[in-house]
């Protein structure tokens, strides 16, 4: 089996990018170890604090954030980092050529029930001669991403990674301590009969999403002419991983429950990296009205509606939004 570095070299990644990715993964291996220890590690449960999103922080969120932040900044390769758990960006080396934005622990409500969680990351180019302390350096569309990936802490620890040459899956070999290539080229089937959405929000969605899901629920007797199955992991990494493995559509649509927070998922460290992984695997990703990776960000913690997965199913959903 092939190790990560030679595969990245073959894909044209330079030594600095490989070194940065390996550092991110070194932090993820440490997180994987702590997660694997479960209650024995003493890091389950909540802190007394809230993050910038107003959500209770889990101890593991804080630990994962500190590990990633410190290790990435120590490389000297990075001008600044931005994290779900940091109110603003954190400056690094003014001459660093990369920016890294990450969700240290996605699906953190799953930590206490020994269920799927993961780390999502996105690597962007650092602008030349910019102020490392200025958050505006991160406001680049997803199309500018140099690399994107996630590490899924499940029964095995897996890495999904793209540097723009397809999406590849690796599995952490805990005996040797490195990630080995286990799926060279992920290809999401274009057609699916599986959807993932939090149905409890259905009554708050916009009309096009209501109509689309209603038609899926009508099954064989409805306009789609086939029965659909539903899955919801409550961790985007888990749902996207399933879609990379066997297809499907994942949606966290706009929701009119709280007018101050119509969208849930974060553009910079959830939607953009996942969109790059999905598109590089032949899938599609949209807000319903716009390709996610073409959104010009206005804020590092910006939220967006997300509809992604099997290309033809995403197209069907988008047709409802055109009507
Ligand atoms: P947390 O990481 O804060 O737990 O949020 C996870 C998440 O952002 C995303 O990974 C899930 O798909 C979604 O929220 C789950 O949302 P529901 O709470 O509506 O199930």
């Amino acid at each position: 089996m092939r190790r990560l570095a030679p595969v990245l070299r073959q894909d044209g990644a330079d030594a600095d990018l490989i070194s940065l990715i390996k550092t991110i993964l070194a932090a993820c291996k440490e997180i994987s170890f702590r997660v694997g220890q479960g209650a024995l590690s003493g890091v389950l449960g909540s802190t007394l604090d809230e993050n910038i999103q107003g959500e209770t922080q889990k101890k593991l969120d804080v630990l994962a954030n500190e590990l990633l932040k410190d290790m990435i900044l120590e490389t000297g390769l990075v001008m600044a980092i931005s994290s779900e758990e940091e109110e603003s960006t954190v400056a690094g080396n003014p001459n660093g050529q990369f920016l890294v934005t990450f969700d240290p622990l996605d699906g953190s409500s799953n930590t206490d029930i020994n269920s799927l969680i993961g780390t999502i990351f996105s690597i962007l180019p650092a602008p030349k001669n910019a102020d490392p302390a200025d958050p505006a350096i991160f406001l680049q569309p997803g199309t500018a991403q140099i690399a994107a990936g996630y590490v899924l802490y499940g029964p095995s620890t897996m890495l999904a990674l793209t540097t723009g040459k397809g999406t590849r899956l690796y599995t952490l070999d805990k005996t040797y301590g490195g990630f080995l290539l286990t799926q060279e080229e992920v290809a999401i089937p274009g057609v699916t009969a599986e959807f993932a959405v939090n149905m409890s929000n259905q009554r708050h969605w916009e009309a096009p999403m209501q109509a689309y899901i209603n038609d899926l629920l009508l099954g064989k007797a409805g306009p789609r002419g086939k029965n659909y199955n539903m899955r919801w992991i409550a961790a985007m990494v888990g749902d996207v991983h399933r879609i990379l493995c066997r297809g499907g559509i994942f949606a966290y649509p706009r929701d009119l429950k709280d007018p101050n927070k119509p969208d849930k998922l974060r553009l910079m460290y959830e939607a953009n990296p996942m969109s790059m992984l999905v598109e590089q695997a032949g899938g599609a990703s949209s807000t319903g009205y716009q390709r996610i990776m073409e959104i010009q960000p206005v804020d590092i913690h910006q939220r967006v509606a997300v509809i992604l997965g099997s290309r033809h199913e995403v197209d069907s959903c988008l047709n409802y939004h055109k009507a």
Side-chain angles (χ1 to χ4, degrees), residues 55 84 103 105-110 198 201 232 234-237 239 250 252 264-266 270:
E55 298 156 341
E84 182 187 12
D103 178 352
L105 215 59
D106 177 61
S108 50
S109 69
N110 279 353
N198 184 342
N201 296 323
W232 187 246
M236 190 189 194
V237 276
D239 284 307
F250 166 91
Y252 214 110
K264 168 141 187 180
L265 301 181
R266 295 67 163 191
E270 291 182 315

Side-chain angles (χ1 to χ4, degrees), residues 115-174:
S115 191
L116 288 182
I117 46 178
T119 297
I120 309 173
F121 59 90
S122 161
I123 301 177
L124 290 160
K128 297 257 177 296
N129 305 319
D131 174 3
D134 181 3
I137 57 181
F138 279 87
L139 303 181
Q140 308 178 37
T143 49
Q145 292 173 106
I146 296 169
Y150 63 75
V151 175
L152 179 72
Y153 310 113
S156 53
T157 294
M158 291 193 71
L159 163 70
L161 182 65
T162 180
T163 54
K165 301 276 167 60
T167 294
R168 310 198 189 287
L169 295 181
Y170 301 80
T171 304
L172 179 62
D173 180 343
K174 292 185 179 165

